[in-house]
Amino acid sequence: MSADDKTDMMDESGVLHRRKPLPQWTVPVVASLVLLVSGAVFAALWWWVGKAGLAGKDLATAQLDVVKVVSGVAVGGGGLFALYLAARRQHTQELEGSLPRARPVAA
């Protein structure tokens, strides 16, 4: 069985279907977007904490809270993308399970 056999599916009428693989640029683009959004949230909150007129212990506490919020945004963005990938994989596996196995295609 070649690597291409895993992407070939044949339905009841004998029509061969090919799954589209996830484009190679998807993961880097999503990671960049998550980092960009996290950076923007960090900059906005850091600026807002600086303008609040806090000093000493209150300032340090607010800055740590900014770091916690930004960490949550970054982890949430990564989790959302992981959820998308899992749903996509499940959908593909359900499609493969509902179709008969592909017969070898003559080249």
Side-chain angles (χ1 to χ4, degrees), residues 9-85:
M9 295 178 285
M10 193 169 298
D11 63 12
E12 294 83 20
S13 64
V15 176
L16 184 66
H17 298 278
R18 289 189 72 86
R19 285 186 299 165
K20 287 177 133 182
L22 195 64
Q24 290 182 344
W25 55 263
T26 304
V27 174
V29 166
V30 170
S32 299
L33 285 174
V34 168
L35 287 175
L36 182 67
V37 169
S38 298
V41 169
F42 178 79
L45 290 177
W46 197 265
W47 173 82
W48 184 62
V49 165
K51 290 287 187 177
L54 300 174
K57 188 176 179 181
D58 291 336
L59 179 62
T61 302
Q63 288 173 338
L64 286 175
D65 286 342
V66 167
V67 171
K68 287 192 284 187
V69 168
V70 170
S71 298
V73 168
V75 169
L80 188 63
F81 185 59
L83 183 63
Y84 163 74
L85 291 177

